[in-house]
Amino acid sequence: MRLLPVATEGELAREAADLVAQALRRRPDAALVCATGRTPLGAYAELARRRLDPGRARVFQLDGYLGVADDDPRSLYGWLDRALLAPLGIAPGQVVRLREDTPEPEAECARYEAAAAQAGGWDLAVLGLGPNGHLGFNEPPSPPDAPTRVVTLSPESLRSNRAYFPPAYPVPERAMTAGMRLILGARRILLLVSGERKRAILRRVLDGPPTPWLPASYLATHRDAWIIADRAALGPE
Ligand code: F6R
């Protein structure tokens, strides 16, 4: 695991965009898994600003709430579409979704796992750090071999997700997430961390040791995981 400290959120966005662009130069049909949430938005906007050609990239949705339609403001597919797919011109056929309104979530997770296997695993995972150390919606405790599955969100995640949606929309309590096994199987992982509110949890991730109670701590066991963190998240030297 390597730590790439950067000064600002803007620098974080540029460094992350450089690494995504590099992955696509190396392999135009790279398989990427991309988080929603606020942290990667700058990197996605930077890729759009550069008019990055997404080539034949395949993009996997990292997670999604259960029982939410595509036109619902809580849809994480909708979020990904607005932030990344539409601005970069990534066609629906290039995207592997976790359909949030599926009547059969277990079958949806199995289909997703099969699509990831069919793609030969992921070349790059672009992730954010949850307030409790979750990756995707792999809530503590999540072992490193956890499969793609239906999960119940923790109180911390429900609290932080509350800020994303209009007050009239309750935060869904159940979700589907790419499993730790798939995430840790990605050939390269970028964990983007920004802002003072992530400082304490980032410190725990950096201090280790790996434990299911802090899923992001397993990045220490990965051979090409990068944590790109800004000064506000890292705190005083
Ligand atoms: C979102 C996701 C979550 C977020 C994490 C950080 O698809 O999987 O793990 O990446 O909760 O969220 P932000 O970036 O909003 O602080």
mmCIF file of all heavy atoms in Angstrom, residues 100-136:
data_model
loop_
_atom_site.group_PDB
_atom_site.id
_atom_site.type_symbol
_atom_site.label_atom_id
_atom_site.label_comp_id
_atom_site.label_asym_id
_atom_site.label_seq_id
_atom_site.Cartn_x
_atom_site.Cartn_y
_atom_site.Cartn_z
ATOM 1 N N GLU A 100 -30.868 -1.557 -8.796
ATOM 2 C CA GLU A 100 -31.350 -1.289 -7.441
ATOM 3 C C GLU A 100 -32.827 -1.656 -7.265
ATOM 4 O O GLU A 100 -33.281 -1.904 -6.160
ATOM 5 C CB GLU A 100 -31.079 0.178 -7.095
ATOM 6 C CG GLU A 100 -29.582 0.454 -6.995
ATOM 7 C CD GLU A 100 -29.194 1.912 -7.183
ATOM 8 O OE1 GLU A 100 -29.230 2.650 -6.201
ATOM 9 O OE2 GLU A 100 -28.851 2.317 -8.318
ATOM 10 N N ASP A 101 -33.572 -1.687 -8.368
ATOM 11 C CA ASP A 101 -34.997 -2.026 -8.242
ATOM 12 C C ASP A 101 -35.267 -3.479 -8.616
ATOM 13 O O ASP A 101 -36.409 -3.854 -8.887
ATOM 14 C CB ASP A 101 -35.850 -1.081 -9.101
ATOM 15 C CG ASP A 101 -35.459 -1.132 -10.567
ATOM 16 O OD1 ASP A 101 -34.476 -1.849 -10.905
ATOM 17 O OD2 ASP A 101 -36.114 -0.461 -11.376
ATOM 18 N N THR A 102 -34.232 -4.304 -8.598
ATOM 19 C CA THR A 102 -34.444 -5.703 -8.952
ATOM 20 C C THR A 102 -35.341 -6.408 -7.922
ATOM 21 O O THR A 102 -35.201 -6.183 -6.714
ATOM 22 C CB THR A 102 -33.094 -6.461 -9.027
ATOM 23 O OG1 THR A 102 -33.368 -7.841 -9.278
ATOM 24 C CG2 THR A 102 -32.310 -6.363 -7.718
ATOM 25 N N PRO A 103 -36.246 -7.276 -8.394
ATOM 26 C CA PRO A 103 -37.030 -8.060 -7.427
ATOM 27 C C PRO A 103 -36.217 -9.233 -6.869
ATOM 28 O O PRO A 103 -36.633 -9.869 -5.905
ATOM 29 C CB PRO A 103 -38.203 -8.576 -8.269
ATOM 30 C CG PRO A 103 -37.723 -8.547 -9.687
ATOM 31 C CD PRO A 103 -36.654 -7.499 -9.787
ATOM 32 N N GLU A 104 -35.049 -9.491 -7.481
ATOM 33 C CA GLU A 104 -34.266 -10.663 -7.054
ATOM 34 C C GLU A 104 -32.830 -10.252 -6.764
ATOM 35 O O GLU A 104 -31.909 -10.520 -7.568
ATOM 36 C CB GLU A 104 -34.281 -11.715 -8.161
ATOM 37 C CG GLU A 104 -35.657 -12.291 -8.406
ATOM 38 C CD GLU A 104 -35.607 -13.419 -9.401
ATOM 39 O OE1 GLU A 104 -34.819 -13.344 -10.364
ATOM 40 O OE2 GLU A 104 -36.362 -14.380 -9.193
ATOM 41 N N PRO A 105 -32.597 -9.583 -5.628
ATOM 42 C CA PRO A 105 -31.256 -9.041 -5.373
ATOM 43 C C PRO A 105 -30.155 -10.106 -5.315
ATOM 44 O O PRO A 105 -29.034 -9.855 -5.775
ATOM 45 C CB PRO A 105 -31.391 -8.308 -4.039
ATOM 46 C CG PRO A 105 -32.747 -8.579 -3.526
ATOM 47 C CD PRO A 105 -33.572 -9.190 -4.607
ATOM 48 N N GLU A 106 -30.476 -11.292 -4.767
ATOM 49 C CA GLU A 106 -29.415 -12.317 -4.693
ATOM 50 C C GLU A 106 -28.982 -12.734 -6.092
ATOM 51 O O GLU A 106 -27.784 -12.872 -6.370
ATOM 52 C CB GLU A 106 -29.859 -13.544 -3.886
ATOM 53 C CG GLU A 106 -29.713 -13.372 -2.380
ATOM 54 C CD GLU A 106 -30.860 -12.566 -1.772
ATOM 55 O OE1 GLU A 106 -31.925 -12.470 -2.437
ATOM 56 O OE2 GLU A 106 -30.698 -12.032 -0.659
ATOM 57 N N ALA A 107 -29.965 -12.890 -6.986
ATOM 58 C CA ALA A 107 -29.634 -13.271 -8.366
ATOM 59 C C ALA A 107 -28.866 -12.131 -9.045
ATOM 60 O O ALA A 107 -27.950 -12.369 -9.849
ATOM 61 C CB ALA A 107 -30.920 -13.583 -9.139
ATOM 62 N N GLU A 108 -29.213 -10.898 -8.717
ATOM 63 C CA GLU A 108 -28.521 -9.739 -9.282
ATOM 64 C C GLU A 108 -27.038 -9.748 -8.866
ATOM 65 O O GLU A 108 -26.137 -9.497 -9.677
ATOM 66 C CB GLU A 108 -29.212 -8.464 -8.788
ATOM 67 C CG GLU A 108 -28.692 -7.167 -9.345
ATOM 68 C CD GLU A 108 -29.016 -6.970 -10.829
ATOM 69 O OE1 GLU A 108 -29.732 -7.802 -11.419
ATOM 70 O OE2 GLU A 108 -28.502 -5.986 -11.397
ATOM 71 N N CYS A 109 -26.803 -10.070 -7.595
ATOM 72 C CA CYS A 109 -25.415 -10.125 -7.101
ATOM 73 C C CYS A 109 -24.647 -11.260 -7.796
ATOM 74 O O CYS A 109 -23.469 -11.095 -8.144
ATOM 75 C CB CYS A 109 -25.400 -10.333 -5.586
ATOM 76 S SG CYS A 109 -26.030 -8.910 -4.681
ATOM 77 N N ALA A 110 -25.314 -12.382 -8.019
ATOM 78 C CA ALA A 110 -24.655 -13.520 -8.678
ATOM 79 C C ALA A 110 -24.322 -13.158 -10.131
ATOM 80 O O ALA A 110 -23.236 -13.469 -10.641
ATOM 81 C CB ALA A 110 -25.551 -14.752 -8.612
ATOM 82 N N ARG A 111 -25.249 -12.456 -10.789
ATOM 83 C CA ARG A 111 -25.032 -12.040 -12.174
ATOM 84 C C ARG A 111 -23.841 -11.084 -12.265
ATOM 85 O O ARG A 111 -23.003 -11.148 -13.150
ATOM 86 C CB ARG A 111 -26.316 -11.364 -12.680
ATOM 87 C CG ARG A 111 -26.361 -11.037 -14.158
ATOM 88 C CD ARG A 111 -27.490 -10.062 -14.490
ATOM 89 N NE ARG A 111 -27.432 -8.834 -13.714
ATOM 90 C CZ ARG A 111 -26.609 -7.828 -13.951
ATOM 91 N NH1 ARG A 111 -25.777 -7.872 -14.963
ATOM 92 N NH2 ARG A 111 -26.607 -6.754 -13.178
ATOM 93 N N TYR A 112 -23.747 -10.197 -11.280
ATOM 94 C CA TYR A 112 -22.665 -9.214 -11.226
ATOM 95 C C TYR A 112 -21.320 -9.911 -11.021
ATOM 96 O O TYR A 112 -20.335 -9.609 -11.698
ATOM 97 C CB TYR A 112 -22.986 -8.267 -10.075
ATOM 98 C CG TYR A 112 -22.029 -7.143 -9.811
ATOM 99 C CD1 TYR A 112 -22.234 -5.887 -10.377
ATOM 100 C CD2 TYR A 112 -20.952 -7.294 -8.938
ATOM 101 C CE1 TYR A 112 -21.388 -4.821 -10.092
ATOM 102 C CE2 TYR A 112 -20.105 -6.239 -8.652
ATOM 103 C CZ TYR A 112 -20.331 -5.007 -9.227
ATOM 104 O OH TYR A 112 -19.496 -3.954 -8.938
ATOM 105 N N GLU A 113 -21.288 -10.862 -10.106
ATOM 106 C CA GLU A 113 -20.050 -11.625 -9.876
ATOM 107 C C GLU A 113 -19.629 -12.333 -11.167
ATOM 108 O O GLU A 113 -18.448 -12.367 -11.504
ATOM 109 C CB GLU A 113 -20.262 -12.684 -8.770
ATOM 110 C CG GLU A 113 -20.360 -12.132 -7.367
ATOM 111 C CD GLU A 113 -19.003 -12.116 -6.624
ATOM 112 O OE1 GLU A 113 -18.024 -12.692 -7.129
ATOM 113 O OE2 GLU A 113 -18.964 -11.503 -5.547
ATOM 114 N N ALA A 114 -20.600 -12.896 -11.872
ATOM 115 C CA ALA A 114 -20.280 -13.616 -13.113
ATOM 116 C C ALA A 114 -19.735 -12.638 -14.156
ATOM 117 O O ALA A 114 -18.784 -12.952 -14.888
ATOM 118 C CB ALA A 114 -21.521 -14.332 -13.642
ATOM 119 N N ALA A 115 -20.298 -11.422 -14.215
ATOM 120 C CA ALA A 115 -19.819 -10.432 -15.187
ATOM 121 C C ALA A 115 -18.397 -9.992 -14.850
ATOM 122 O O ALA A 115 -17.565 -9.766 -15.746
ATOM 123 C CB ALA A 115 -20.761 -9.218 -15.210
ATOM 124 N N ALA A 116 -18.093 -9.881 -13.559
ATOM 125 C CA ALA A 116 -16.735 -9.489 -13.158
ATOM 126 C C ALA A 116 -15.745 -10.606 -13.523
ATOM 127 O O ALA A 116 -14.635 -10.332 -14.008
ATOM 128 C CB ALA A 116 -16.691 -9.190 -11.665
ATOM 129 N N ALA A 117 -16.162 -11.849 -13.329
ATOM 130 C CA ALA A 117 -15.292 -12.980 -13.681
ATOM 131 C C ALA A 117 -15.076 -13.009 -15.192
ATOM 132 O O ALA A 117 -13.957 -13.197 -15.691
ATOM 133 C CB ALA A 117 -15.904 -14.286 -13.190
ATOM 134 N N GLN A 118 -16.152 -12.778 -15.918
ATOM 135 C CA GLN A 118 -16.105 -12.771 -17.385
ATOM 136 C C GLN A 118 -15.156 -11.677 -17.902
ATOM 137 O O GLN A 118 -14.449 -11.862 -18.892
ATOM 138 C CB GLN A 118 -17.532 -12.502 -17.878
ATOM 139 C CG GLN A 118 -17.702 -12.177 -19.333
ATOM 140 C CD GLN A 118 -17.903 -13.449 -20.138
ATOM 141 O OE1 GLN A 118 -18.439 -14.420 -19.604
ATOM 142 N NE2 GLN A 118 -17.464 -13.445 -21.370
ATOM 143 N N ALA A 119 -15.098 -10.542 -17.170
ATOM 144 C CA ALA A 119 -14.204 -9.436 -17.558
ATOM 145 C C ALA A 119 -12.753 -9.746 -17.182
ATOM 146 O O ALA A 119 -11.853 -8.980 -17.509
ATOM 147 C CB ALA A 119 -14.656 -8.144 -16.874
ATOM 148 N N GLY A 120 -12.537 -10.855 -16.479
ATOM 149 C CA GLY A 120 -11.180 -11.182 -16.049
ATOM 150 C C GLY A 120 -10.775 -10.410 -14.802
ATOM 151 O O GLY A 120 -9.597 -10.163 -14.572
ATOM 152 N N GLY A 121 -11.751 -10.005 -14.013
ATOM 153 C CA GLY A 121 -11.466 -9.192 -12.818
ATOM 154 C C GLY A 121 -11.314 -7.740 -13.229
ATOM 155 O O GLY A 121 -11.483 -7.379 -14.390
ATOM 156 N N TRP A 122 -11.008 -6.897 -12.247
ATOM 157 C CA TRP A 122 -10.957 -5.455 -12.487
ATOM 158 C C TRP A 122 -9.515 -4.962 -12.604
ATOM 159 O O TRP A 122 -8.638 -5.401 -11.861
ATOM 160 C CB TRP A 122 -11.652 -4.730 -11.331
ATOM 161 C CG TRP A 122 -13.130 -4.980 -11.294
ATOM 162 C CD1 TRP A 122 -13.943 -5.256 -12.366
ATOM 163 C CD2 TRP A 122 -13.981 -4.987 -10.138
ATOM 164 N NE1 TRP A 122 -15.243 -5.422 -11.937
ATOM 165 C CE2 TRP A 122 -15.291 -5.254 -10.585
ATOM 166 C CE3 TRP A 122 -13.760 -4.780 -8.783
ATOM 167 C CZ2 TRP A 122 -16.370 -5.323 -9.713
ATOM 168 C CZ3 TRP A 122 -14.826 -4.847 -7.906
ATOM 169 C CH2 TRP A 122 -16.123 -5.117 -8.381
ATOM 170 N N ASP A 123 -9.321 -4.044 -13.521
ATOM 171 C CA ASP A 123 -7.999 -3.424 -13.648
ATOM 172 C C ASP A 123 -7.815 -2.333 -12.605
ATOM 173 O O ASP A 123 -6.715 -2.139 -12.098
ATOM 174 C CB ASP A 123 -7.837 -2.835 -15.060
ATOM 175 C CG ASP A 123 -7.869 -3.934 -16.097
ATOM 176 O OD1 ASP A 123 -6.929 -4.752 -16.107
ATOM 177 O OD2 ASP A 123 -8.858 -4.023 -16.857
ATOM 178 N N LEU A 124 -8.892 -1.613 -12.331
ATOM 179 C CA LEU A 124 -8.764 -0.469 -11.429
ATOM 180 C C LEU A 124 -10.042 -0.294 -10.619
ATOM 181 O O LEU A 124 -11.137 -0.323 -11.180
ATOM 182 C CB LEU A 124 -8.523 0.798 -12.263
ATOM 183 C CG LEU A 124 -8.241 2.076 -11.485
ATOM 184 C CD1 LEU A 124 -6.892 1.992 -10.769
ATOM 185 C CD2 LEU A 124 -8.244 3.289 -12.408
ATOM 186 N N ALA A 125 -9.868 -0.084 -9.327
ATOM 187 C CA ALA A 125 -11.004 0.254 -8.450
ATOM 188 C C ALA A 125 -10.788 1.675 -7.947
ATOM 189 O O ALA A 125 -9.710 1.995 -7.435
ATOM 190 C CB ALA A 125 -11.072 -0.723 -7.280
ATOM 191 N N VAL A 126 -11.797 2.507 -8.112
ATOM 192 C CA VAL A 126 -11.741 3.888 -7.607
ATOM 193 C C VAL A 126 -12.734 3.964 -6.450
ATOM 194 O O VAL A 126 -13.944 3.821 -6.655
ATOM 195 C CB VAL A 126 -12.127 4.898 -8.706
ATOM 196 C CG1 VAL A 126 -12.048 6.326 -8.172
ATOM 197 C CG2 VAL A 126 -11.243 4.721 -9.940
ATOM 198 N N LEU A 127 -12.207 4.164 -5.247
ATOM 199 C CA LEU A 127 -13.033 4.017 -4.045
ATOM 200 C C LEU A 127 -12.967 5.253 -3.162
ATOM 201 O O LEU A 127 -12.000 6.018 -3.213
ATOM 202 C CB LEU A 127 -12.516 2.825 -3.216
ATOM 203 C CG LEU A 127 -12.379 1.482 -3.926
ATOM 204 C CD1 LEU A 127 -11.731 0.463 -2.991
ATOM 205 C CD2 LEU A 127 -13.740 0.983 -4.415
ATOM 206 N N GLY A 128 -13.994 5.400 -2.329
ATOM 207 C CA GLY A 128 -13.974 6.401 -1.265
ATOM 208 C C GLY A 128 -13.950 5.674 0.079
ATOM 209 O O GLY A 128 -14.232 4.472 0.147
ATOM 210 N N LEU A 129 -13.626 6.399 1.122
ATOM 211 C CA LEU A 129 -13.524 5.797 2.457
ATOM 212 C C LEU A 129 -14.759 6.137 3.280
ATOM 213 O O LEU A 129 -15.075 7.318 3.479
ATOM 214 C CB LEU A 129 -12.264 6.333 3.152
ATOM 215 C CG LEU A 129 -11.997 5.854 4.575
ATOM 216 C CD1 LEU A 129 -11.799 4.332 4.623
ATOM 217 C CD2 LEU A 129 -10.771 6.565 5.154
ATOM 218 N N GLY A 130 -15.447 5.105 3.746
ATOM 219 C CA GLY A 130 -16.638 5.324 4.565
ATOM 220 C C GLY A 130 -16.272 5.861 5.940
ATOM 221 O O GLY A 130 -15.138 5.696 6.405
ATOM 222 N N PRO A 131 -17.256 6.462 6.605
ATOM 223 C CA PRO A 131 -16.985 7.046 7.922
ATOM 224 C C PRO A 131 -16.598 5.991 8.957
ATOM 225 O O PRO A 131 -16.009 6.308 9.984
ATOM 226 C CB PRO A 131 -18.322 7.705 8.294
ATOM 227 C CG PRO A 131 -19.356 7.014 7.450
ATOM 228 C CD PRO A 131 -18.662 6.606 6.181
ATOM 229 N N ASN A 132 -16.936 4.728 8.666
ATOM 230 C CA ASN A 132 -16.598 3.618 9.564
ATOM 231 C C ASN A 132 -15.565 2.690 8.918
ATOM 232 O O ASN A 132 -15.400 1.558 9.334
ATOM 233 C CB ASN A 132 -17.865 2.819 9.889
ATOM 234 C CG ASN A 132 -18.569 2.349 8.622
ATOM 235 O OD1 ASN A 132 -18.117 2.642 7.503
ATOM 236 N ND2 ASN A 132 -19.656 1.629 8.780
ATOM 237 N N GLY A 133 -14.904 3.165 7.867
ATOM 238 C CA GLY A 133 -13.893 2.346 7.203
ATOM 239 C C GLY A 133 -14.465 1.410 6.158
ATOM 240 O O GLY A 133 -13.767 0.523 5.655
ATOM 241 N N HIS A 134 -15.729 1.591 5.788
ATOM 242 C CA HIS A 134 -16.281 0.698 4.758
ATOM 243 C C HIS A 134 -15.691 1.006 3.385
ATOM 244 O O HIS A 134 -15.263 2.125 3.120
ATOM 245 C CB HIS A 134 -17.817 0.712 4.741
ATOM 246 C CG HIS A 134 -18.479 1.949 4.211
ATOM 247 N ND1 HIS A 134 -19.723 2.370 4.644
ATOM 248 C CD2 HIS A 134 -18.126 2.859 3.269
ATOM 249 C CE1 HIS A 134 -20.078 3.456 3.999
ATOM 250 N NE2 HIS A 134 -19.125 3.783 3.150
ATOM 251 N N LEU A 135 -15.681 -0.030 2.535
ATOM 252 C CA LEU A 135 -15.331 0.112 1.120
ATOM 253 C C LEU A 135 -16.553 -0.358 0.355
ATOM 254 O O LEU A 135 -17.048 -1.464 0.616
ATOM 255 C CB LEU A 135 -14.130 -0.771 0.750
ATOM 256 C CG LEU A 135 -12.798 -0.425 1.404
ATOM 257 C CD1 LEU A 135 -11.716 -1.422 0.937
ATOM 258 C CD2 LEU A 135 -12.347 0.997 1.083
ATOM 259 N N GLY A 136 -17.021 0.438 -0.635
ATOM 260 C CA GLY A 136 -18.334 0.136 -1.167
ATOM 261 C C GLY A 136 -19.280 0.179 0.024
ATOM 262 O O GLY A 136 -19.169 1.063 0.885
#
